[in-house]
PDB file of all heavy atoms in Angstrom:
ATOM      1  N   TRP A 363     106.399  86.817 134.905  1.00 98.00           N
ATOM      2  CA  TRP A 363     105.146  86.077 135.065  1.00 98.00           C
ATOM      3  C   TRP A 363     104.690  85.431 133.755  1.00 98.00           C
ATOM      4  O   TRP A 363     103.563  84.936 133.658  1.00 98.00           O
ATOM      5  CB  TRP A 363     104.055  87.012 135.588  1.00 98.00           C
ATOM      6  CG  TRP A 363     104.274  87.456 137.009  1.00 98.00           C
ATOM      7  CD1 TRP A 363     104.837  86.753 138.022  1.00 98.00           C
ATOM      8  CD2 TRP A 363     103.903  88.731 137.573  1.00 98.00           C
ATOM      9  NE1 TRP A 363     104.848  87.498 139.180  1.00 98.00           N
ATOM     10  CE2 TRP A 363     104.285  88.714 138.940  1.00 98.00           C
ATOM     11  CE3 TRP A 363     103.289  89.882 137.063  1.00 98.00           C
ATOM     12  CZ2 TRP A 363     104.077  89.793 139.790  1.00 98.00           C
ATOM     13  CZ3 TRP A 363     103.086  90.964 137.910  1.00 98.00           C
ATOM     14  CH2 TRP A 363     103.469  90.913 139.260  1.00 98.00           C
ATOM     15  N   ASN A 364     105.563  85.474 132.738  1.00 98.00           N
ATOM     16  CA  ASN A 364     105.307  84.810 131.442  1.00 98.00           C
ATOM     17  C   ASN A 364     104.111  85.380 130.688  1.00 98.00           C
ATOM     18  O   ASN A 364     103.407  84.664 129.973  1.00 98.00           O
ATOM     19  CB  ASN A 364     105.141  83.300 131.626  1.00 98.00           C
ATOM     20  CG  ASN A 364     106.410  82.641 132.139  1.00 98.00           C
ATOM     21  OD1 ASN A 364     107.499  82.906 131.642  1.00 98.00           O
ATOM     22  ND2 ASN A 364     106.267  81.815 133.163  1.00 98.00           N
ATOM     23  N   VAL A 365     103.876  86.672 130.842  1.00 98.00           N
ATOM     24  CA  VAL A 365     102.870  87.353 130.030  1.00 98.00           C
ATOM     25  C   VAL A 365     103.466  87.560 128.635  1.00 98.00           C
ATOM     26  O   VAL A 365     104.587  88.050 128.504  1.00 98.00           O
ATOM     27  CB  VAL A 365     102.489  88.709 130.650  1.00 98.00           C
ATOM     28  CG1 VAL A 365     101.577  89.495 129.725  1.00 98.00           C
ATOM     29  CG2 VAL A 365     101.844  88.512 132.013  1.00 98.00           C
ATOM     30  N   PRO A 366     102.741  87.198 127.570  1.00 98.00           N
ATOM     31  CA  PRO A 366     103.266  87.446 126.219  1.00 98.00           C
ATOM     32  C   PRO A 366     103.342  88.943 125.942  1.00 98.00           C
ATOM     33  O   PRO A 366     102.427  89.703 126.279  1.00 98.00           O
ATOM     34  CB  PRO A 366     102.257  86.757 125.306  1.00 98.00           C
ATOM     35  CG  PRO A 366     101.011  86.623 126.116  1.00 98.00           C
ATOM     36  CD  PRO A 366     101.428  86.516 127.548  1.00 98.00           C
ATOM     37  N   ILE A 367     104.455  89.372 125.325  1.00 98.00           N
ATOM     38  CA  ILE A 367     104.730  90.799 125.134  1.00 98.00           C
ATOM     39  C   ILE A 367     105.059  91.068 123.672  1.00 98.00           C
ATOM     40  O   ILE A 367     105.845  90.353 123.059  1.00 98.00           O
ATOM     41  CB  ILE A 367     105.906  91.252 126.033  1.00 98.00           C
ATOM     42  CG1 ILE A 367     105.550  91.071 127.517  1.00 98.00           C
ATOM     43  CG2 ILE A 367     106.293  92.700 125.739  1.00 98.00           C
ATOM     44  CD1 ILE A 367     106.709  91.293 128.466  1.00 98.00           C
ATOM     45  N   ALA A 368     104.460  92.120 123.129  1.00 98.00           N
ATOM     46  CA  ALA A 368     104.766  92.574 121.772  1.00 98.00           C
ATOM     47  C   ALA A 368     105.118  94.051 121.810  1.00 98.00           C
ATOM     48  O   ALA A 368     104.848  94.753 122.789  1.00 98.00           O
ATOM     49  CB  ALA A 368     103.592  92.319 120.826  1.00 98.00           C
ATOM     50  N   PHE A 369     105.687  94.546 120.722  1.00 98.00           N
ATOM     51  CA  PHE A 369     106.305  95.864 120.676  1.00 98.00           C
ATOM     52  C   PHE A 369     105.295  96.958 120.379  1.00 98.00           C
ATOM     53  O   PHE A 369     104.519  96.871 119.430  1.00 98.00           O
ATOM     54  CB  PHE A 369     107.384  95.866 119.595  1.00 98.00           C
ATOM     55  CG  PHE A 369     108.249  97.094 119.551  1.00 98.00           C
ATOM     56  CD1 PHE A 369     109.476  97.114 120.175  1.00 98.00           C
ATOM     57  CD2 PHE A 369     107.831  98.235 118.873  1.00 98.00           C
ATOM     58  CE1 PHE A 369     110.292  98.237 120.121  1.00 98.00           C
ATOM     59  CE2 PHE A 369     108.623  99.374 118.822  1.00 98.00           C
ATOM     60  CZ  PHE A 369     109.861  99.374 119.443  1.00 98.00           C
ATOM     61  N   GLY A 370     105.306  98.012 121.183  1.00 98.00           N
ATOM     62  CA  GLY A 370     104.507  99.205 120.924  1.00 98.00           C
ATOM     63  C   GLY A 370     105.038 100.342 121.768  1.00 98.00           C
ATOM     64  O   GLY A 370     105.510 100.124 122.886  1.00 98.00           O
ATOM     65  N   THR A 371     104.960 101.564 121.265  1.00 98.00           N
ATOM     66  CA  THR A 371     105.680 102.663 121.901  1.00 98.00           C
ATOM     67  C   THR A 371     104.810 103.816 122.391  1.00 98.00           C
ATOM     68  O   THR A 371     105.219 104.555 123.275  1.00 98.00           O
ATOM     69  CB  THR A 371     106.694 103.263 120.909  1.00 98.00           C
ATOM     70  OG1 THR A 371     105.990 103.853 119.814  1.00 98.00           O
ATOM     71  CG2 THR A 371     107.671 102.208 120.413  1.00 98.00           C
ATOM     72  N   ASP A 372     103.641 104.039 121.786  1.00 97.00           N
ATOM     73  CA  ASP A 372     102.827 105.230 122.036  1.00 97.00           C
ATOM     74  C   ASP A 372     103.466 106.474 121.430  1.00 97.00           C
ATOM     75  O   ASP A 372     103.345 107.584 121.970  1.00 97.00           O
ATOM     76  CB  ASP A 372     102.569 105.438 123.530  1.00 97.00           C
ATOM     77  CG  ASP A 372     101.194 106.045 123.824  1.00 97.00           C
ATOM     78  OD1 ASP A 372     100.486 106.395 122.865  1.00 97.00           O
ATOM     79  OD2 ASP A 372     100.842 106.177 125.011  1.00 97.00           O
ATOM     80  N   ALA A 373     104.159 106.309 120.302  1.00 97.00           N
ATOM     81  CA  ALA A 373     104.743 107.463 119.613  1.00 97.00           C
ATOM     82  C   ALA A 373     103.664 108.498 119.339  1.00 97.00           C
ATOM     83  O   ALA A 373     102.555 108.179 118.919  1.00 97.00           O
ATOM     84  CB  ALA A 373     105.390 107.015 118.305  1.00 97.00           C
ATOM     85  N   GLY A 374     104.009 109.738 119.555  1.00 95.00           N
ATOM     86  CA  GLY A 374     103.056 110.841 119.566  1.00 95.00           C
ATOM     87  C   GLY A 374     103.000 111.433 120.953  1.00 95.00           C
ATOM     88  O   GLY A 374     102.854 112.650 121.110  1.00 95.00           O
ATOM     89  N   VAL A 375     103.135 110.571 121.962  1.00 93.00           N
ATOM     90  CA  VAL A 375     103.361 111.039 123.329  1.00 93.00           C
ATOM     91  C   VAL A 375     104.791 111.574 123.443  1.00 93.00           C
ATOM     92  O   VAL A 375     105.070 112.499 124.190  1.00 93.00           O
ATOM     93  CB  VAL A 375     103.111 109.890 124.331  1.00 93.00           C
ATOM     94  CG1 VAL A 375     103.598 110.236 125.727  1.00 93.00           C
ATOM     95  CG2 VAL A 375     101.628 109.556 124.362  1.00 93.00           C
ATOM     96  N   PHE A 376     105.700 110.977 122.667  1.00 95.00           N
ATOM     97  CA  PHE A 376     107.068 111.483 122.490  1.00 95.00           C
ATOM     98  C   PHE A 376     107.238 111.730 120.989  1.00 95.00           C
ATOM     99  O   PHE A 376     106.370 111.409 120.180  1.00 95.00           O
ATOM    100  CB  PHE A 376     108.108 110.490 123.019  1.00 95.00           C
ATOM    101  CG  PHE A 376     108.037 109.156 122.343  1.00 95.00           C
ATOM    102  CD1 PHE A 376     108.831 108.871 121.244  1.00 95.00           C
ATOM    103  CD2 PHE A 376     107.154 108.174 122.786  1.00 95.00           C
ATOM    104  CE1 PHE A 376     108.754 107.643 120.595  1.00 95.00           C
ATOM    105  CE2 PHE A 376     107.073 106.943 122.151  1.00 95.00           C
ATOM    106  CZ  PHE A 376     107.870 106.678 121.051  1.00 95.00           C
ATOM    107  N   ASP A 377     108.380 112.278 120.597  1.00 96.00           N
ATOM    108  CA  ASP A 377     108.589 112.633 119.196  1.00 96.00           C
ATOM    109  C   ASP A 377     108.632 111.399 118.305  1.00 96.00           C
ATOM    110  O   ASP A 377     109.365 110.433 118.585  1.00 96.00           O
ATOM    111  CB  ASP A 377     109.898 113.413 119.033  1.00 96.00           C
ATOM    112  CG  ASP A 377     109.824 114.807 119.642  1.00 96.00           C
ATOM    113  OD1 ASP A 377     108.739 115.410 119.593  1.00 96.00           O
ATOM    114  OD2 ASP A 377     110.853 115.282 120.185  1.00 96.00           O
ATOM    115  N   HIS A 378     107.884 111.428 117.219  1.00 97.00           N
ATOM    116  CA  HIS A 378     107.909 110.357 116.235  1.00 97.00           C
ATOM    117  C   HIS A 378     109.322 110.221 115.660  1.00 97.00           C
ATOM    118  O   HIS A 378     110.037 111.213 115.484  1.00 97.00           O
ATOM    119  CB  HIS A 378     106.912 110.647 115.117  1.00 97.00           C
ATOM    120  CG  HIS A 378     105.498 110.609 115.572  1.00 97.00           C
ATOM    121  ND1 HIS A 378     104.755 109.449 115.627  1.00 97.00           N
ATOM    122  CD2 HIS A 378     104.673 111.600 116.015  1.00 97.00           C
ATOM    123  CE1 HIS A 378     103.536 109.733 116.063  1.00 97.00           C
ATOM    124  NE2 HIS A 378     103.463 111.024 116.312  1.00 97.00           N
TER     125      HIS A 378
END
Side-chain angles (χ1 to χ4, degrees):
W363 291 326
N364 296 314
V365 173
I367 298 171
F369 188 97
T371 65
D372 214 355
V375 168
F376 59 94
D377 290 326
H378 293 274

